[in-house]
Amino acid sequence: MAGIARKEFSNDSSQTQVDSPSSNTSIEHQNSISHSVYSTSQQSVDLRASVRRKRNARLANPLKGIEHDKLRIRGENYARKHGITEDEDVRAFRLGAILAQNPEQHADIQDFTGEEQDILQKELANRWHQPKEMYLVIVLCSICAATQGADESVVNGAQFFYSEQFSISGDGLKATWYANHYGNGRHRDAYEAASRVRYNKIQAARDVFYMHYLLEAESMNFAHNKVKEMVTVPRNRRALIASEVVMFMQQVVIYWPLPGRRMLSEGLTIF
């Protein structure tokens, strides 16, 4: 019996020794699959992170890395495309395009006059050094926020009926005039308005040119979740909070006086 037991034990041991290499191979295969899946998942995460970094970098400064000569050309082309053809204004957009890339590099550009250099330096040294018109605009816009929403909603809704009501659909002369007046003319209007709240035209051209390219960068169709990034991207989150606060206060301003007026009118009828 002892011999049989030793033989069975010997057979079991040899069987274990025979099965052991295949078990190790199976484990190694499973580990290899797990590592491959992890690597693929990590690569996907890294790719999304890379796309997000590039997108945020482009949104932070869509003009970064562009040579100055190319920026001059872009600035001039932008001005002429939108009907800004005066020599002084075209020069402002040539130099403003370079400043839009980096406002702090004005000292390295030799094309500015001494007065322009002083203004640009004061702007950097003291952010509150702005024309009085700038502060007046800020105050007026803050006051007008109570009624802007209602007016804007009416105008936006009416745009659906403009073309049919005034027979301006198609490519006729009237349609072209309408498009130029309410579309291309806005760039010139924006530049002229910015010139009134800046010390010189170069500052205004810089602001308008940069806003144009920033809006273009934001309108590009990136593969990302826009709803999610309203919260995850800090600048979007701050804008969301500010806009929600303003919207809430606007509604309060519009509807809160109504009960008071009703109570006043009812009280006056008693007498």
Side-chain angles (χ1 to χ4, degrees):
M1 294 292 294
I4 295 174
R6 284 195 298 270
K7 184 176 181 180
E8 290 179 352
F9 177 78
S10 177
N11 291 338
D12 293 341
S13 298
S14 18
Q15 183 68 28
T16 302
Q17 293 177 355
V18 171
D19 293 340
S20 180
S22 63
S23 300
N24 292 336
T25 303
S26 177
I27 294 175
E28 291 177 357
H29 181 65
Q30 292 177 357
N31 291 336
S32 176
I33 294 176
S34 300
H35 179 72
S36 177
V37 172
Y38 173 79
S39 300
T40 303
S41 177
Q42 187 64 33
Q43 289 176 359
S44 178
V45 172
D46 293 341
L47 179 60
R48 291 196 298 269
S50 176
V51 172
R52 184 168 58 253
R53 284 194 299 268
K54 290 180 180 179
R55 181 178 66 253
N56 291 336
R58 180 173 175 81
L59 291 175
N61 190 349
L63 302 175
K64 184 178 181 180
I66 302 177
E67 298 177 358
H68 286 186
D69 291 339
K70 293 182 178 180
L71 286 174
R72 292 175 188 268
I73 295 174
R74 289 192 182 188
E76 180 176 353
N77 291 341
Y78 172 84
R80 296 190 184 280
K81 176 182 178 181
H82 298 288
I84 307 173
T85 57
E86 292 78 3
D87 292 340
E88 182 183 5
D89 296 327
V90 172
R91 173 183 177 272
F93 273 94
R94 289 199 198 102
L95 299 177
I98 300 176
L99 282 182
Q101 185 186 63
N102 183 6
E104 298 181 358
Q105 64 186 354
H106 67 89
D108 301 330
I109 304 173
Q110 305 298 325
D111 296 333
F112 294 119
T113 64
E115 181 181 359
E116 292 169 347
Q117 289 281 11
D118 292 339
I119 291 175
L120 294 173
Q121 182 58 37
K122 288 180 181 179
E123 182 184 37
L124 293 176
N126 183 7
R127 68 177 60 185
W128 303 109
H129 179 70
Q130 303 293 342
K132 294 180 180 179
E133 290 79 1
M134 174 69 80
Y135 293 104
L136 178 61
V137 169
I138 294 174
V139 172
L140 290 177
C141 289
S142 300
I143 295 175
C144 294
T147 56
Q148 178 206 0
D151 296 338
E152 197 171 77
S153 299
V154 172
V155 172
N156 289 339
Q159 288 185 11
F160 289 101
F161 311 99
Y162 277 163
S163 57
E164 182 179 354
Q165 183 68 29
F166 296 102
S167 301
I168 54 176
S169 59
D171 299 326
L173 179 61
K174 189 184 295 186
T176 304
W177 173 85
Y178 177 82
N180 291 335
H181 182 69
Y182 291 98
N184 295 335
R186 291 180 178 177
H187 294 265
R188 169 178 279 280
D189 292 342
Y191 170 61
E192 292 178 353
S195 298
R196 296 179 60 184
V197 295
R198 291 297 187 185
Y199 284 110
N200 58 41
K201 291 188 174 182
I202 293 177
Q203 292 176 303
R206 173 201 62 192
D207 297 342
V208 173
F209 182 81
Y210 185 74
M211 285 187 290
H212 170 73
Y213 272 88
L214 186 61
L215 290 173
E216 278 194 346
E218 290 183 345
S219 64
M220 293 182 66
N221 185 21
F222 291 108
H224 65 288
N225 191 330
K226 295 183 179 180
V227 176
K228 179 181 178 181
E229 292 193 356
M230 288 179 65
V231 180
T232 57
V233 177
R235 65 186 185 87
N236 293 346
R237 183 170 61 250
R238 291 191 293 268
L240 175 64
I241 295 174
S243 61
E244 291 298 322
V245 171
V246 171
M247 183 179 66
F248 173 77
M249 295 304 298
Q250 180 180 4
Q251 300 302 318
V252 171
V253 170
I254 293 175
Y255 293 107
W256 181 258
L258 294 180
R261 289 200 298 269
R262 186 179 299 110
M263 293 174 62
L264 178 62
S265 62
E266 292 178 355
L268 291 176
T269 57
I270 298 176
F271 299 97

